[in-house]
C-alpha cells in the first residue's frame, strides 16, 4: 500500500506532489481512503452520545481526509495527463468510488443517525448542510424500505443500461446516416472538409465524399455546400435520425422516460423533473417553464427577421437546409471580420498576464506570483500563488493550457483542494484548455473563442479560490448544476472591458493595438443569428421538460407525434426550425446528465446578463467586485444560491437583460 496520501502534503497549501504520483499511488490512496471513511462512519453510528450536528453531519464531512486527497489528485491528473496507466487506474477508481458512494448512501445505521439530529434548531451553514445532505440521500433512496431500495436498484440498473444503449445507438445512427456526395455535389466544401470527407469515404470502401454527422440537428457542411439539393439531403439525414422500432433510439427514449417517472414516484415526487429540480437553484418547475416560454415569441420573431434578411440577400425563400449558408452570407456581407487574422493580437502569455490576471486585480484586488519551484503533473503546466489585496496568501492556481495526446478535449476547471475551513484546507485549483502548442520559438496565439474560454475558465477558478465555506460539500463550485456556469460566464465580461482589452489585445510582433473598428464589428456581429440559435435551443429545452414531466404510468405511444405536439404547443414550427436535438438523438437527456436540466444553460446566462448589467451600473468596479465576491463567489452553497444573487442584486433575476443582449427585444 502506497503511503502517498496517508498524511497531508508538506508542500504549500498541501499541494500534492503531482510530478511523482503514479497510477498505483492513486488506486492505493483511494482504497486506503475508503477504508478510513467506512471506519469513521461506523464510529459515527456507534457513538453513544446523543446525535447532534457536530457529531453526525459535521463528523461525516470530516470523515474522509485520505479519500479527499487521493480523489482530488486523481480527478486532476487523469483528465490532464491520461497515460495508459492512468486510464487503467481511472476505471478502477471509478468502480471503487461508485460502490463506496452506494455503501454510504444506503447505510441504514447512518440514515438512522442522521434522522436523530434535530435539524429544526440549526441555522446558517449548518442548516444548509443538513438540508442538502438529506435531500441528496433521499434522492438516492436512503429513506426507502428494503423493498423500495430493491426496486430502486432495479430501476437504476435498467435506466443505466438503456441510457448506455441509447448513446451507442446514437453513434451508430450518425454513422448510418452519413451522406455520400460526388465531387460535383460536394462543391463549396473547404479544403479540410473535402480531405476529411474523402478519407471517410475511402475508409468505408466508397468513392466520393462521405459527410459524417455530428450530434446537433444543424450540420457544419450546410454552411459550405453550394448545391441546394446536397444541403437538403444532408439536412434530411440529420433530422430523421431515430428509430421507433424495437431497440431504436425513440423506443429507448420512451422506456427511459417511463422508468424515470416510476423512479420519481417511488421517491415521492410527481415526475422526474420535480425530483431533479429538488437539488437545483431554481426548484420551481413553473418558474423554469415561464422563463423559457417568455423567450419563445421574441426568439421566433427574431429568427423570422433573420430569414427575411437572408431572403433579401439571396433572392429566394429560406429553407431549413439553406439557412446556415444564408446566415454566413449575411455575416460576411454586413459584419465581415477576418477571424483568422485576429489570432495575431492574442498571444497566450500576454492574454493571461495583461488580460485575465489584470482583470482579477482590477475587480478583486488579486496578485499572482509564479511558483516554478512547485511540482506539476506535466511540464506544460505552470503554478501561480494567488495573494489577496492585503498580501495574504489565498491559494494556488495551476494553468495547463496546451493540447496533447494524453489530455482530454475541451476546457475545464477542477479543485485539488477546497477552501473548507472545517478541514483546514485552502484552495488549490486548476484550469485546463486545449490551445495548439506552437513550434519551439514561435508564439502561442489564441483565437477569440480561446480568449473567451481563458476568461471563462478563470471565472470557475475564482469561484474556487474565494471559497469561505466551512464544509467541503458546500465549498467553492459545489453549487447546484443549473447555476454553476454563472460565475464563469460573468467573468467573460472583463475580456472586452476598456481597462483590460487594450493591455492584452496587441499584435504579437509589432505591438500594434487591435483596431477599434474590428472590435466594433465583432460586437455588432455577436447578435446576428441569435434568433435562430435561441429558437433551436429553446425547442430542445422545452422538449426535455415535456418528456420529464410525464407522470408514472403514462407511456408515450407515438414519440414523433408527442415531440411535434410538445413543440407546437409552445409556438414552434419544427419543420421550419428543428430543435437543436430531436428526441431520437437527444443524447444530453437520454444518456448524459442533463435530463430535466437542459434549461440550465439559459438559466445561468439569465443570471449572467443581469449581473453584467449590475456591474456596468456600479461607479466603483473594485467595490462592486468585492460585493460580488462576498455575497456570491465566497458563499458556495452555504445558503440558497438565489438568495446569494438577491443579496447583491437586490431582487430576483430579470430575463429581459439576456433577451436584450441576444437582440431579441429592444430597449
Amino acid at each position: 500500500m502506497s503511503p502517498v496520501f496517508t498524511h497531508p502534503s508538506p508542500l504549500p497549501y498541501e499541494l500534492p506532489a503531482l510530478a511523482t504520483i503514479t497510477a498505483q499511488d492513486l488506486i492505493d490512496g483511494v482504497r486506503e481512503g475508503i477504508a478510513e471513511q467506512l471506519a469513521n462512519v461506523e464510529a459515527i453510528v456507534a457513538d453513544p452520545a446523543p446525535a447532534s450536528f457536530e457529531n453526525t453531519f459535521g463528523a461525516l464531512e470530516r470523515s474522509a481526509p485520505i479519500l479527499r486527497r487521493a480523489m482530488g489528485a486523481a480527478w486532476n491528473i487523469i483528465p490532464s495527463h491520461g497515460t495508459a496507466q492512468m486510464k487503467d487506474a481511472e476505471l478502477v477508481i471509478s468502480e471503487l468510488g461508485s460502490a463506496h458512494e452506494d455503501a454510504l448512501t444506503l447505510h441504514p445505521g447512518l440514515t438512522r443517525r442522521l434522522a436523530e439530529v434535530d435539524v429544526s434548531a440549526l441555522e446558517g451553514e449548518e442548516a444548509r448542510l443538513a438540508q442538502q445532505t438529506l435531500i441528496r440521500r433521499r434522492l438516492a433512496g436512503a429513506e426507502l424500505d428494503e423493498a423500495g431500495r430493491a426496486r430502486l436498484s432495479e430501476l437504476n440498473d435498467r435506466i443505466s443500461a438503456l441510457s448506455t444503449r441509447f448513446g451507442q445507438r446514437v453513434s451508430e445512427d450518425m454513422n448510418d446516416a452519413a451522406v455520400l456526395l460526388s465531387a460535383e455535389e460536394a462543391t463549396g466544401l473547404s479544403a479540410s472538409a473535402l480531405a476529411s470527407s474523402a478519407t471517410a469515404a475511402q475508409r468505408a470502401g466508397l468513392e466520393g465524399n462521405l459527410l459524417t454527422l455530428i450530434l446537433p440537428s444543424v450540420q457544419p457542411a450546410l454552411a459550405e455546400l453550394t448545391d441546394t439539393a446536397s444541403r437538403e439531403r444532408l439536412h434530411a439525414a440529420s433530422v430523421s435520425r431515430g428509430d421507433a422500432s424495437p431497440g431504436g433510439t425513440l423506443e429507448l427514449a420512451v422506456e427511459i422516460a417511463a422508468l424515470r417517472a416510476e423512479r420519481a414516484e417511488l421517491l415521492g415526487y410527481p415526475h422526474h423533473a420535480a425530483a431533479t429540480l429538488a437539488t437545483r437553484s431554481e426548484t420551481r418547475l413553473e418558474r423554469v417553464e415561464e422563463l423559457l416560454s417568455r423567450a419563445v415569441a421574441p426568439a421566433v420573431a427574431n429568427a423570422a427577421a433573420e430569414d427575411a434578411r437572408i431572403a433579401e440577400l439571396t433572392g429566394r425563400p429560406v429553407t431549413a437546409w439553406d439557412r446556415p449558408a444564408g446566415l454566413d452570407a449575411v455575416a460576411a456581407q454586413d459584419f465581415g471580420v477576418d477571424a483568422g487574422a485576429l489570432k495575431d493580437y492574442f498571444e497566450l502569455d500576454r492574454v493571461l498576464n495583461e488580460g485575465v490576471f489584470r482583470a482579477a486585480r482590477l475587480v478583486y484586488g488579486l496578485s499572482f506570483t509564479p511558483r516554478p519551484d512547485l511540482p506539476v503533473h506535466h511540464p506544460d503546466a505552470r503554478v501561480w500563488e494567488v495573494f489577496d489585496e492585503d498580501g495574504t496568501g489565498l491559494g494556488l492556481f495551476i494553468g495547463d493550457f496546451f493540447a496533447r495526446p494524453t489530455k482530454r478535449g475541451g476546457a475545464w476547471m477542477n479543485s485539488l483542494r477546497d477552501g473548507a475551513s472545517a478541514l483546514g484546507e485552502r484552495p488549490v485549483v486548476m484550469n485546463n484548455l486545449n490551445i495548439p502548442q506552437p513550434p519551439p520559438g514561435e508564439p502561442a496565439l489564441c483565437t477569440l473563442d480561446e480568449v473567451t474560454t481563458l476568461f471563462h475558465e478563470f471565472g470557475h477558478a475564482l469561484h474556487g479560490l474565494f471559497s469561505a465555506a466551512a464544509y467541503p460539500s458546500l465549498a467553492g463550485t459545489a453549487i447546484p448544476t443549473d447555476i454553476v456556469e454563472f460565475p464563469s460566464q460573468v467573468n467573460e465580461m472583463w475580456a472586452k472591458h476598456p481597462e483590460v482589452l487594450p493591455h492584452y489585445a496587441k499584435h504579437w510582433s509589432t505591438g500594434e493595438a487591435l483596431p477599434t473598428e474590428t472590435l466594433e464589428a465583432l460586437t455588432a456581429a455577436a447578435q446576428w443569428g441569435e434568433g435562430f440559435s435561441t429558437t433551436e435551443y429553446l425547442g430542445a429545452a422545452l422538449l426535455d421538460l415535456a418528456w420529464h414531466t410525464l407522470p408514472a404510468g403514462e407511456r408515450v405511444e407515438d414519440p414523433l407525434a408527442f415531440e411535434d405536439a410538445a413543440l407546437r404547443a409552445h409556438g414552434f414550427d419544427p419543420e421550419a426550425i428543428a430543435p437543436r436535438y430531436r428526441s431520437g438523438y437527444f443524447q444530453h437527456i437520454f444518456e448524459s446528465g442533463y435530463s430535466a436540466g437542459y434549461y440550465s444553460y439559459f438559466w445561468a446566462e439569465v443570471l449572467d446578463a443581469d449581473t453584467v448589467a449590475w456591474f456596468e451600473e456600479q461607479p466603483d468596479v473594485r467595490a462592486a467586485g468585492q460585493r460580488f465576491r462576498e455575497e456570491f463567489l465566497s458563499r458556495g452553497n452555504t445558503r440558497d444560491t438565489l438568495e446569494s444573487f438577491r443579496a447583491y442584486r437586490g431582487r430576483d433575476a430579470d430575463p429581459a437583460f439576456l433577451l436584450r443582449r441576444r437582440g431579441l427585444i429592444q430597449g
Side-chain angles (χ1 to χ4, degrees):
M1 180 73 69
S2 170
V4 169
F5 300 103
T6 305
H7 303 289
S9 167
L11 294 170
Y13 302 91
E14 296 184 22
L15 173 71
L18 296 172
T20 56
I21 291 173
T22 67
Q24 191 60 50
D25 289 335
L26 296 175
I27 294 172
D28 290 346
V30 169
R31 284 181 171 145
E32 182 184 4
I34 288 173
E36 177 194 46
Q37 185 171 32
L38 289 175
N40 287 338
V41 166
E42 293 303 328
I44 293 170
V45 172
D47 189 345
S52 66
F53 173 86
E54 186 58 29
N55 68 18
T56 307
F57 287 96
L60 183 59
E61 286 290 298
R62 296 187 298 270
S63 65
I66 295 175
L67 187 59
R68 285 178 53 74
R69 289 192 284 267
M71 284 293 198
W75 298 141
N76 278 271
I77 295 173
I78 293 171
S80 303
H81 192 39
T83 62
Q85 294 84 358
M86 286 293 178
K87 289 180 179 178
D88 290 342
E90 179 181 19
L91 298 175
V92 176
I93 291 169
S94 296
E95 185 175 343
L96 288 170
S98 178
H100 178 57
E101 188 66 29
D102 287 345
L104 287 183
T105 301
L106 301 179
H107 192 300
L110 182 58
T111 299
R112 286 193 301 271
R113 181 74 178 182
L114 292 167
E116 291 170 4
V117 178
D118 180 10
V119 297
S120 65
L122 300 178
E123 296 179 345
E125 187 173 346
E126 292 184 354
R128 182 70 173 176
L129 178 64
Q131 175 204 52
Q132 295 295 296
T133 301
L134 294 175
I135 288 175
R136 287 195 299 268
R137 291 179 65 82
R138 179 187 181 189
L139 288 168
E143 298 176 3
L144 297 176
D145 59 19
E146 186 175 347
R149 288 198 299 271
R151 179 55 181 158
L152 180 64
S153 179
E154 292 173 358
L155 289 169
N156 286 339
D157 288 346
R158 181 62 177 157
I159 291 169
S160 177
L162 291 173
S163 296
T164 299
R165 184 55 187 148
F166 184 93
Q168 293 170 342
R169 277 302 307 264
V170 166
S171 296
E172 293 166 6
D173 289 349
M174 282 197 292
N175 291 330
D176 292 343
V179 175
L180 182 66
L181 301 178
S182 66
E184 183 177 341
E185 292 170 328
T187 300
L189 290 180
S190 65
S192 61
L194 283 170
S196 61
S197 60
T199 300
Q202 291 170 0
R203 288 174 177 169
L206 303 170
E207 292 185 4
N209 298 87
L210 187 64
L211 299 181
T212 54
L213 303 188
I214 63 170
L215 196 57
S217 297
V218 174
Q219 301 298 308
L222 291 173
E224 297 182 350
L225 290 166
T226 55
D227 180 54
T228 297
S230 297
R231 292 200 293 259
E232 184 175 5
R233 283 178 57 201
L234 180 59
H235 172 76
S238 178
V239 298
S240 64
R241 284 173 286 164
D243 188 349
S245 64
T249 54
L250 288 170
E251 186 200 52
L252 292 169
V254 167
E255 188 170 358
I256 290 168
L259 292 172
R260 284 174 174 165
E262 181 185 347
R263 180 175 62 185
E265 183 181 56
L266 180 65
L267 294 170
Y269 294 92
H271 42 63
H272 178 70
T276 299
L277 288 171
T279 58
R280 299 278 166 79
S281 68
E282 180 51 79
T283 60
R284 299 165 295 175
L285 175 63
E286 64 274 13
R287 169 73 168 147
V288 173
E289 291 179 326
E290 177 191 0
L291 167 73
L292 298 174
S293 297
R294 178 177 172 181
V296 170
V300 170
N302 206 29
E306 290 166 357
D307 281 355
R309 175 68 184 101
I310 294 170
E312 179 185 8
L313 181 66
T314 62
R316 59 178 182 272
V318 178
T319 63
W321 48 89
D322 287 336
R323 184 179 291 108
L327 287 168
D328 277 9
V330 173
Q333 174 83 12
D334 295 353
F335 317 106
V337 173
D338 185 353
L342 291 178
K343 292 183 67 172
D344 286 339
Y345 292 89
F346 302 133
E347 190 273 323
L348 173 61
D349 278 2
R350 185 187 291 273
V351 173
L352 192 64
N353 290 294
E354 296 299 326
V356 175
F357 291 170
R358 175 179 287 272
R361 183 166 61 252
L362 172 73
V363 184
Y364 303 109
L366 302 185
S367 59
F368 301 82
T369 299
R371 291 296 305 267
D373 56 308
L374 296 179
V376 288
H377 56 286
H378 190 277
D380 287 348
R382 292 178 278 172
V383 184
W384 289 263
E385 187 169 5
V386 186
F387 294 92
D388 243 324
E389 195 166 34
D390 62 2
T392 303
L394 187 63
L396 295 178
F397 170 67
I398 303 172
D400 187 352
F401 304 114
F402 293 125
R404 54 179 172 269
T406 57
K407 184 190 283 190
R408 290 179 185 167
W412 67 94
M413 170 268 185
N414 277 335
S415 293
L416 285 92
R417 306 287 289 162
D418 291 314
S421 60
L423 277 63
E425 288 188 13
R426 288 191 292 169
V428 178
V429 302
M430 184 190 300
N431 277 172
N432 275 272
L433 275 75
N434 271 279
I435 297 170
Q437 190 162 37
E442 294 294 319
L445 302 179
C446 305
T447 65
L448 183 59
D449 283 346
E450 287 165 344
V451 170
T452 301
T453 301
L454 278 164
F455 279 87
H456 178 100
E457 294 304 330
F458 196 72
H460 286 304
L462 289 171
H463 198 181
L465 286 165
F466 287 150
S467 174
Y471 302 102
S473 292
L474 305 177
T477 59
I479 63 174
T481 55
D482 64 343
I483 201 173
V484 73
E485 292 297 325
F486 154 59
S488 53
Q489 289 174 342
V490 169
N491 205 58
E492 293 177 20
M493 72 174 288
W494 306 113
K496 294 182 180 178
H497 193 276
E499 293 186 51
V500 178
L501 177 68
H503 292 278
Y504 75 82
K506 297 181 178 181
H507 195 283
W508 70 271
S509 64
T510 68
E512 174 193 4
L514 180 70
T516 302
E517 59 272 20
T518 300
L519 182 61
E520 291 173 350
L522 287 169
T523 302
Q527 289 187 348
W528 174 248
E530 285 287 3
F532 165 70
S533 64
T534 304
T535 299
E536 64 157 5
Y537 166 80
L538 291 171
L542 286 162
L543 180 59
D544 169 29
L545 292 179
W547 278 108
H548 291 114
T549 50
L550 291 169
E554 184 174 328
R555 187 179 180 88
V556 172
E557 297 300 330
D558 185 340
L560 290 179
F562 173 82
E563 174 184 291
D564 187 76
L567 292 168
R568 293 186 186 278
H570 286 286
F572 297 105
D573 179 356
E575 293 182 4
I577 298 180
R580 187 168 297 173
Y581 307 100
R582 296 191 65 191
S583 302
Y585 48 94
F586 207 160
Q587 197 163 350
H588 285 72
I589 67 169
F590 290 119
E591 184 196 20
S592 303
Y594 283 87
S595 60
Y598 195 66
Y599 75 90
S600 299
Y601 295 100
F602 198 72
W603 176 228
E605 198 176 348
V606 165
L607 300 171
D608 158 39
D610 201 331
T611 299
V612 167
W614 174 79
F615 265 111
E616 291 172 344
E617 295 166 3
Q618 305 308 305
D620 186 335
V621 169
R622 177 70 188 87
Q626 191 66 24
R627 184 165 177 77
F628 184 52
R629 170 180 175 174
E630 291 175 355
E631 296 293 358
F632 194 94
L633 296 177
S634 69
R635 297 278 181 166
N637 199 18
T638 60
R639 66 182 178 189
D640 185 315
T641 46
L642 295 187
E643 181 182 340
S644 293
F645 178 90
R646 288 189 289 269
Y648 68 87
R649 195 56 170 117
R651 56 165 173 74
D652 287 334
D654 185 349
F657 291 96
L658 175 59
L659 299 181
R660 198 170 295 120
R661 181 163 78 183
R662 290 191 173 207
L664 305 182
I665 61 174
Q666 302 301 313

